[in-house]
Amino acid sequence: MALDPEKAFLDYSAADCSVQFWTANAPAVQFTSLEAAVRFAKDHGGRWEEIEITVHLPREDIAFATGKVHQLIDALPGEVRKK
């Protein structure tokens, strides 16, 4: 399924999320919105690392693996992408 970053940021603007880098001994970090989680990922090297962001919902969790996290980083609101 194709990722629509703008819709994801809107849909999960108030959802609990966690960021997990896929490296040894890296703890998961919790946030109260997808945008905050993606900004943390971006600021901590998530564009170049294996990473997962999980959105925690009442009935299910939604996990965005590395490729989708990179798409979300590229689409952060207010960010100007370099070409």
Side-chain angles (χ1 to χ4, degrees):
M1 183 159 82
L3 173 65
D4 180 347
E6 290 179 16
K7 183 174 180 344
F9 285 123
L10 287 173
D11 288 350
Y12 309 124
S13 64
D16 288 333
C17 299
S18 59
V19 176
Q20 178 69 56
F21 286 90
W22 293 350
T23 57
N25 300 320
V29 182
Q30 302 291 321
F31 296 91
T32 57
S33 75
L34 179 60
E35 184 175 340
V38 173
R39 287 195 186 283
F40 174 85
K42 177 185 178 236
D43 292 345
H44 291 86
R47 189 65 181 97
W48 299 276
E49 299 287 336
E50 295 292 320
I51 188 170
E52 181 176 281
I53 294 178
T54 304
V55 179
H56 304 283
L57 301 172
R59 293 185 177 228
E60 67 181 329
D61 289 344
I62 298 171
F64 296 106
T66 302
K68 301 242 186 219
V69 172
H70 293 174
Q71 289 178 327
L72 290 166
I73 289 171
D74 289 343
L76 272 169
E79 297 289 320
V80 177
R81 287 184 60 191
K82 294 179 182 177
K83 295 191 179 198

